[in-house]
Amino acid sequence: MDHSTHTDHSVQKTPGAPETQGAHGGHNHDGMIADYRRRFWVVLIATLPILALAPMIQSWLGLEDAMRFPGDRYVLATLSSLVFFYGGWPFLKGFWREITARDIGMMTLISVAITAAYAYSMGMVAIGSDETFFWELATLIAVMLLGHWIEMKSVLGAGRALEKLASLMPDEAHLIAEDGSVGDVPVSTLVGGESLLIKPGEKVPADGIIIKGESSLNESMLTGESKPIFKALDAVVIGGSINGEGSLTIRVNKTGDDTFLSNVIKLVKEAQASKSKTQDLANTAAKWLTFIALGGGFGTVLFWSLFTGQGFEFAMARAVTVMVIACPHALGLAVPLVVARSTAIAATNGLLIRDRTAFEAARNINAIIFDKTGTLTKGEFGITDTLVFDSAFTEDDILTYAASIEAHSEHPIAHGIVRDAPEAWPVDKFKAIPGKGTQGNVRDKDVKVVSPGYLRDQGLTMNDPRFETLSAQGKTVVFVLIDDKLAGAIALADIVREESAQAIMRLQAMGIQCIMLTGDNRKVAEWVGKEIGLDEVFAEVLPEEKAAKVREVQSRGMIVAMTGDGVNDAPALAQADVGIAIGAGTDVAIETADIILVRSSPSDVVAIIELARATYNKMIQNLVWATGYNAFAIPAAAGVFFGWGIILTPALGAVFMSASTVICAINAQLLKLYPKVAPT
């Protein structure tokens, strides 16, 4: 049974629209909650005199003579009619919707049950009998309304994630005019290219580039990154992030549906709306349960009225209880609630799900192929080793002399040295040595930072075994000459991310084989693989060969995930059973992937797999509870345990049915994402 005939728990929300929409017969969730709450209180008030006037209740209390009066059964019938038509209206309306849609489900069961009880009771009044179900009818409807009210409040929490995301964007922006004046304009009017002022503590109103100022920005609600990120000139800022201590001027480059936040909301909507294989199973089970309940209800009436001496009233009570208690409400909600919850958790932690089926498949992954550059490594040169050949200098001296010279160079290797050096000193007479390095005068010393080729040209030999080791690892080694004497050497490589090794260890502990796929030379690849503990390395792979390598691993009978960030990774991402794109990567890679990690961190690969497994476990828990509950509840409702004195009234059946639904809702809310892998 498609549960959408009762409640669509997906959230339909667009940036700038403050209300959370959920199609519940065309009404929003908040309105439906208020409606159920109002109907419940009216029914509850009417139920109190119904209980007082019910002959059975009076008999139990020994108050028949004290509370009976002429025409009391007509007063009872009138109050019960109010309860039936006003309190039962949502269920009767739902029944009509299911019938016209030819999708018989929960509303049909409830409506048949309360209509049968009401019609039978009114017939008894017409013939002057006191054998009515009015008090059972009233309490049943009251409990059903209360259960729906509580359930919808529980469900609503899963959909609030999009509302929270949309609320991140401010309504107004400080627009800087051409004359330098600043005025407030609605964010909705921005088209791109405008200059905006962002004051300390304010939310960034749109995606843009910093053109003036520097500050730390809190992106935790967008990316899951808990620490504020320092950003300066030319850095990208995300709309919805919170500015820290500095004043910023940005140039808007994305607005409306093109913004990062809008894309996140779009992905969450699509993921929450998508059906899972587990959901299909639940729908099929719910459909069969509906027919079982209807058939069981009629069968119960026939059995107790024809083959026992309990009478038609007893038989009707059992049949009504069967149809109420067997409502597949919990079964219909078991999976959608977990889907909504997991998607919301993923989105607020920087894990964006584009394909729900692929996300569910992630729990079965037994091999992950990582791209190297930008995924396992930072994609930038950094210092790994410093060698000292002249005892007159320390490692810091070597680094500082080198950084002083390289500060005047634009080479990526130079940037790596400058970034990692303790400091830099003033330089005189700087000049480049074409194809070989740079040189200059630092503190009255002639300093050169040169390649191994320069040493060969100058006839300088290097027999230090440490250099041979670094070369064997594929690292780039530059030499530092001070006054034409070999003073030291600096080894650089693409820096391995701090969290890569721990992420790999966690994945291996989960039974997942970790493989690296790179176009880099074999020495570099093997060094990185050894550094972080990979199971296998594919090196010197051409871009067009990456998809073939994925197929090769798949041919071993493995379910394979591919993680990458570049254009040349797109075919491999598409070939893999689960494609995972690093969010800092290219648009091509992101559009090809099934899952997008906003942060460029291997720890998020661990997080998405753990979330996939936890989500599946919650789905199974809910399904087991929903089906197991019915396996016991339906026979009990039918009176199978009557011989042992166990009998369920329709109202008690409604309590059990509603309780099972609320349990599934609460269990879904207990889904958590465990802490991400921390840097070592």
Side-chain angles (χ1 to χ4, degrees):
M1 177 189 67
D2 187 350
H3 193 67
S4 65
T5 58
H6 170 50
T7 307
D8 180 1
H9 297 287
S10 65
V11 179
Q12 306 299 321
K13 183 95 173 53
T14 56
E19 64 278 349
T20 303
Q21 298 294 331
H24 215 317
H27 302 285
N28 64 62
H29 266 294
D30 292 318
M32 290 298 296
I33 291 171
D35 184 59
Y36 275 111
R37 181 176 62 246
R38 182 171 55 253
R39 292 180 188 272
F40 165 73
W41 286 115
V42 171
V43 168
L44 181 62
I45 293 170
T47 298
L48 295 176
I50 290 173
L51 291 172
L53 294 171
M56 185 176 292
I57 302 295
Q58 292 172 350
S59 177
W60 289 347
L61 299 175
L63 300 174
E64 301 102 312
D65 296 333
M67 301 187 68
R68 297 300 298 267
F69 58 88
D72 57 353
R73 67 166 60 93
Y74 299 109
V75 175
L76 182 59
T78 301
L79 290 171
S80 299
S81 297
L82 169 67
V83 169
F84 175 72
F85 288 107
Y86 181 73
W89 179 247
F91 310 113
L92 298 172
K93 186 170 63 174
F95 163 70
W96 179 251
R97 189 164 57 244
E98 289 180 352
I99 292 298
T100 53
R102 298 181 179 180
D103 191 17
I104 294 175
M106 186 196 70
M107 292 302 190
T108 300
L109 286 178
I110 296 175
S111 296
V112 170
I114 63 176
T115 301
Y118 178 73
Y120 173 82
S121 299
M122 292 300 287
M124 290 297 101
V125 171
I127 64 174
S129 174
D130 289 332
E131 296 181 358
T132 61
F133 285 141
F134 285 136
W135 78 269
E136 290 98 336
L137 171 69
T139 53
L140 170 59
I141 292 176
V143 172
M144 292 298 298
L145 289 171
L146 178 62
H148 276 66
W149 175 19
I150 295 173
E151 173 237 320
M152 292 183 68
K153 288 183 66 176
S154 300
V155 170
L156 188 60
R160 291 295 189 193
L162 288 185
E163 187 174 354
K164 290 179 180 178
L165 285 173
S167 68
L168 294 176
M169 197 69 77
D171 295 325
E172 293 186 335
H174 307 309
L175 179 67
I176 302 175
E178 293 183 1
D179 61 1
S181 62
V182 179
D184 292 344
V185 298
V187 171
S188 58
T189 63
L190 300 176
V191 296
E194 298 96 338
S195 295
L196 304 179
L197 173 66
I198 305 165
K199 301 175 183 178
E202 291 185 337
K203 293 179 179 178
V204 178
D207 293 4
I209 308 292
I210 298 176
I211 58 176
K212 183 180 179 181
E214 57 184 37
S215 184
S216 295
L217 285 96
N218 185 343
E219 299 177 346
S220 58
M221 278 293 292
L222 300 162
T223 67
E225 179 61 65
S226 57
K227 296 180 180 178
I229 301 171
F230 179 78
K231 297 192 177 187
L233 195 66
D234 296 330
V236 175
V237 295
I238 302 173
S241 57
I242 301 173
N243 187 24
E245 71 286 347
S247 179
L248 297 175
T249 301
I250 69 168
R251 183 178 64 254
V252 178
N253 63 353
K254 291 182 180 179
T255 61
D257 294 339
D258 296 328
T259 62
F260 175 85
L261 183 58
S262 294
N263 285 322
V264 170
I265 292 173
K266 178 184 176 184
L267 289 172
V268 174
K269 283 183 182 179
E270 291 175 350
Q272 289 187 342
S274 62
K275 291 275 186 78
S276 69
K277 293 182 178 179
T278 313
Q279 178 65 64
D280 291 337
L281 174 64
N283 288 342
T284 302
K287 178 72 73 177
W288 279 105
L289 184 60
T290 300
F291 291 119
I292 290 170
L294 288 171
F298 290 115
T300 300
V301 170
L302 294 175
F303 175 80
W304 286 106
S305 60
L306 298 178
F307 301 107
T308 71
Q310 295 299 323
F312 190 68
E313 180 186 6
F314 181 90
M316 279 294 297
R318 304 286 70 73
V320 170
T321 307
V322 167
M323 286 185 283
V324 169
I325 208 167
C327 286
H329 201 198
L331 195 56
L333 281 175
V335 174
L337 285 175
V338 178
V339 168
R341 175 68 176 166
S342 68
T343 307
I345 289 174
T348 53
N349 284 274
L351 316 171
L352 306 182
I353 301 168
R354 293 186 71 242
D355 188 311
R356 190 82 210 172
T357 303
F359 170 69
E360 290 186 10
R363 67 184 172 83
N364 295 319
I365 289 170
N366 44 33
I368 294 183
I369 301 176
F370 290 93
D371 175 53
K372 179 182 79 72
T373 306
T375 304
L376 293 174
T377 66
K378 294 182 179 180
E380 57 188 30
F381 276 99
I383 297 172
T384 61
D385 306 86
T386 304
L387 307 181
V388 178
F389 302 134
D390 189 334
S391 58
F393 302 100
T394 65
E395 287 189 7
D396 282 353
D397 291 336
I398 299 298
L399 291 175
T400 303
Y401 277 115
S404 301
I405 298 295
E406 297 288 53
H408 298 265
S409 173
E410 293 298 321
H411 197 280
I413 290 175
H415 290 175
I417 294 174
V418 173
R419 184 177 58 252
D420 293 349
E423 60 179 319
W425 296 322
V427 176
D428 294 322
K429 301 178 181 179
F430 171 85
K431 68 176 183 179
I433 306 173
K436 300 293 174 59
T438 54
Q439 69 179 56
N441 192 276
V442 181
R443 295 191 170 184
D444 297 324
K445 296 183 182 294
D446 180 57
V447 180
K448 295 182 177 71
V449 183
V450 296
S451 66
Y454 180 88
L455 296 188
R456 290 192 296 269
D457 292 346
Q458 299 299 314
L460 299 173
T461 57
M462 172 49 61
N463 298 318
D464 194 305
R466 294 177 296 173
F467 170 66
E468 299 300 327
T469 301
L470 295 174
S471 297
Q473 293 173 347
K475 295 180 180 179
T476 299
V477 182
V478 296
F479 295 90
V480 180
L481 278 67
I482 300 178
D483 292 332
D484 292 323
K485 294 182 179 179
L486 190 59
I490 300 170
L492 299 101
D494 187 1
I495 298 298
V496 175
R497 295 186 183 276
E498 294 178 337
E499 65 269 33
S500 290
Q502 192 176 354
I504 297 300
M505 183 176 65
R506 287 274 297 278
L507 289 168
Q508 291 169 336
M510 297 162 68
I512 298 172
Q513 186 175 348
C514 297
I515 304 167
M516 186 174 72
L517 182 64
T518 180
D520 275 2
N521 71 73
R522 187 163 300 281
K523 287 182 177 180
V524 173
E526 288 178 351
W527 171 74
V528 173
K530 185 178 180 181
E531 191 78 4
I532 61 179
L534 292 167
D535 296 299
E536 190 174 357
V537 172
F538 294 130
E540 300 176 358
V541 180
L542 297 175
E544 61 269 22
E545 298 173 341
K546 288 189 174 184
K549 288 296 183 182
V550 174
R551 284 194 294 272
E552 179 184 326
V553 179
Q554 288 173 324
S555 68
R556 304 173 188 173
M558 293 182 167
I559 298 173
V560 179
M562 172 70 194
T563 303
D565 70 334
V567 173
N568 57 18
D569 296 323
L573 290 169
Q575 175 63 40
D577 299 286
V578 181
I580 303 173
I582 297 295
T586 65
D587 290 339
V588 175
I590 291 171
E591 287 298 318
T592 311
D594 304 305
I595 298 167
I596 302 158
L597 308 180
V598 175
R599 300 191 311 149
S600 299
S601 172
S603 67
D604 284 351
V605 177
V606 179
I608 198 69
I609 295 174
E610 288 184 337
L611 181 61
R613 293 183 175 185
T615 298
Y616 181 76
N617 289 337
K618 283 294 180 187
M619 287 180 179
I620 297 302
Q621 289 169 14
N622 276 3
L623 289 175
V624 168
W625 167 257
T627 54
Y629 150 80
N630 280 291
F632 169 80
I634 292 176
V640 170
F641 306 115
F642 177 69
W644 289 273
I646 300 175
I647 194 84
L648 296 180
T649 66
L652 190 57
V655 170
F656 285 142
M657 192 279 286
S658 297
S660 71
T661 303
V662 173
I663 288 171
C664 284
I666 293 172
N667 190 46
Q669 293 300 312
L670 293 176
L671 179 65
K672 303 290 184 184
L673 179 63
Y674 294 103
K676 298 176 183 179
V677 179
T680 55

